[in-house]
Amino acid sequence: MSSPHVLVVDDTHVDRHVVSMALMRHNVRVTAVESVMQALMFLDSEHDVDMIVSDYCMPDMTGYDLLMEVKKSPKLAHLPVVIASSDNIPERIRKCLDGGAKDYILKPVKIVDVPRILNYI
């Protein structure tokens, strides 16, 4: 079986790097982008993504916006989406989970979070 491919979306370079490195330690192929628009363009052209891990707070469009775009697309709706955020806001967490996110993980994402994330692939 080939390694799973995860799209990491985060506008902060350090957070993108931390999540990417944690996933790669578990033999996961990672593509990292810094915005929702870049993620949507990548998903439009790339068809082997198995999961999306997205920051919530980003300029222009949020991780929730990305989640909504993915879930309304017949081509992408099957993809599991995990939202990561440093904000522990119950209403936001519920909104994301009700919108179809598989999980909402508090940042910083740690190596111990990776099995939990990969459980959704």
Side-chain angles (χ1 to χ4, degrees):
M1 184 173 120
S2 66
S3 299
H5 183 190
V6 175
L7 176 62
V8 174
V9 187
D10 199 310
D11 62 313
T12 305
H13 175 76
V14 170
D15 289 335
R16 243 185 355 262
H17 181 74
V18 167
V19 172
S20 296
M21 294 306 295
L23 289 168
M24 287 189 282
R25 282 184 157 187
H26 282 78
N27 197 34
V28 174
R29 289 185 304 129
V30 174
T31 298
V33 298
E34 62 186 47
S35 73
V36 171
M37 289 309 298
Q38 286 180 354
L40 292 171
M41 289 186 330
F42 180 79
L43 290 165
D44 190 48
S45 64
E46 186 65 41
H47 305 288
D48 75 338
V49 172
D50 299 301
M51 169 182 268
I52 300 167
V53 177
S54 178
D55 181 25
Y56 182 90
C57 292
M58 293 181 281
D60 300 323
M61 295 177 78
T62 67
Y64 180 78
D65 296 327
L66 174 60
L67 173 65
M68 293 297 94
E69 290 295 319
V70 167
K71 293 306 172 187
K72 78 178 185 186
S73 166
K75 184 177 99 173
L76 303 174
H78 69 282
L79 288 175
V81 178
V82 172
I83 301 293
S85 179
S86 55
D87 298 325
N88 188 2
I89 302 171
E91 298 81 22
R92 180 182 295 167
I93 295 168
R94 176 60 36 217
K95 178 179 167 182
C96 290
L97 295 175
D98 288 349
K102 291 294 184 184
D103 208 340
Y104 186 102
I105 294 180
L106 291 176
K107 286 181 174 181
V109 174
K110 298 169 277 315
I111 197 76
V112 296
D113 294 322
V114 173
R116 175 176 157 191
I117 292 169
L118 296 180
N119 188 50
Y120 299 109
I121 294 179

